Amino acid sequence: MEDDLITCLTRQVKEEVLENYMTQRRLIELETEDVEAQAEAVRALAQEVGKRFTRLGYLMMDAEMLERLIGILQIPETSFWRECLEKPFARGVRFIKVTALTHKGKFRKLVLESYNRLLTWMTKYKDALHDLELEVRALNINIQAFQSNFDLLTILNFLKSLDVCGLEHKHFLGSNFTAEEIMSVEKKLYIHPMKVDRFNLPPPLDLPAPALIQDDLGRLAEDVFRKHHNQIKRLLR
């Protein structure tokens, strides 16, 4: 009778300890899933920014003019954004409507407005990435608190010590695990802090303010028009 009572109490204690541990662990897992979903949204936003780079690169018409644009915007040679500039333009962005007395004027406005919209999207991306970094930081704080409050090795040894009658055999976590098994379980269930780097998101660019490059960008647009005016006139129809 006494053995049955001890066994029952032991089982109840184990269940309560494990239920508390698993509940808190599930909360961390749910928070991790939310952060991962947020990272995917930031990745999608990076693709949208990339489309605006692609449109601007397309308007340059040839490699020489594209290199001038890269110099004006100071885009790193090896970067996601540089690759976007050189991709074939396949639309996927909102149409820009401009008005002017001449085709050259319209094209100049088109290039300047394309850059303004690129800058707007880059700002959105920069803010979204910053928010993600804050969420990752908060998640890591919660992970650290979880690891401190629920040291798995201590819990496993505690549960093992409760098996006073030897009547249970691994029905509950930690009952009769060997020291090697306990260490293996602890290693597998350890929650590692998250790093933003794991998502491989492109770092945002600090693009020049429109007022600082308006003249250079305008002259570039005029040079592109002089060189490719027939093609550009068809584009502007």
Side-chain angles (χ1 to χ4, degrees):
M1 182 68 177
E2 183 179 351
D3 287 346
D4 290 343
L5 178 60
I6 293 175
T7 299
C8 182
L9 291 175
T10 297
R11 179 182 290 107
Q12 183 177 350
V13 170
K14 288 184 175 183
E15 288 177 346
E16 290 177 357
V17 170
L18 290 176
E19 182 179 358
N20 192 21
Y21 171 81
M22 296 307 297
T23 297
Q24 296 303 317
R25 184 183 182 91
R26 182 55 183 159
L27 291 176
I28 293 294
E29 291 173 348
L30 290 173
E31 188 176 354
T32 300
E33 291 172 5
D34 288 342
V35 170
E36 290 173 344
Q38 184 174 349
E40 287 306 308
V42 176
R43 188 186 311 281
L45 187 55
Q47 296 296 330
E48 291 298 321
V49 180
K51 292 177 183 178
R52 275 69 190 178
F53 270 104
T54 302
R55 173 171 58 192
L56 197 55
Y58 169 73
L59 293 177
M60 295 300 99
M61 299 295 169
D62 64 46
E64 179 188 354
M65 297 300 167
L66 182 60
E67 284 299 320
R68 285 179 56 183
L69 175 67
I70 290 170
I72 293 172
L73 303 186
Q74 300 178 3
I75 300 174
E77 183 175 352
T78 55
S79 73
F80 170 78
W81 313 115
R82 177 70 172 265
E83 294 175 3
C84 291
L85 270 177
E86 298 170 348
K87 285 182 178 178
F89 183 50
R91 306 293 175 180
V93 295
R94 183 172 297 179
F95 178 75
I96 299 177
K97 185 176 181 179
V98 293
T99 58
L101 295 176
T102 64
H103 284 96
K104 182 172 73 173
K106 288 178 68 175
F107 184 69
R108 186 179 189 277
K109 282 188 175 182
L110 178 59
V111 171
L112 293 175
E113 180 58 23
S114 295
Y115 178 70
N116 288 338
R117 296 193 182 189
L118 165 62
L119 192 59
T120 298
W121 278 91
M122 182 62 78
T123 300
K124 291 180 182 178
Y125 176 69
K126 188 181 298 184
D127 292 342
L129 186 58
H130 178 65
D131 289 343
L132 176 63
E133 290 169 347
L134 292 179
E135 289 299 323
V136 168
R137 192 179 306 169
L139 171 60
N140 287 336
I141 291 174
N142 291 339
I143 289 175
Q144 184 178 10
F146 175 77
Q147 307 285 29
S148 299
N149 294 332
F150 296 93
D151 180 71
L152 189 56
L153 192 57
T154 300
I155 292 174
L156 291 172
N157 283 317
F158 170 69
L159 294 177
K160 183 177 181 180
S161 70
L162 290 179
D163 194 14
V164 293
C165 297
L167 299 176
E168 301 177 30
H169 301 281
K170 300 181 183 179
H171 288 174
F172 297 94
L173 184 62
S175 297
N176 284 317
F177 279 123
T178 65
E180 291 77 12
E181 287 174 326
I182 289 177
M183 293 301 295
S184 176
V185 170
E186 194 273 341
K187 184 177 180 180
K188 290 177 181 178
L189 294 181
Y190 180 81
I191 302 176
H192 294 275
M194 181 179 287
K195 295 182 179 179
V196 177
D197 295 348
R198 64 174 284 192
F199 300 116
N200 294 319
L201 296 168
L205 290 182
D206 291 322
L207 295 168
L212 297 177
I213 61 169
Q214 182 171 321
D215 292 341
D216 290 339
L217 206 55
R219 282 192 294 270
L220 174 59
E222 291 170 1
D223 290 344
V224 173
F225 182 82
R226 279 192 290 268
K227 190 173 182 181
H228 300 280
H229 58 275
N230 289 330
Q231 187 176 350
I232 291 172
K233 286 178 182 178
R234 291 194 296 270
L235 173 67
L236 295 174
R237 287 175 184 171

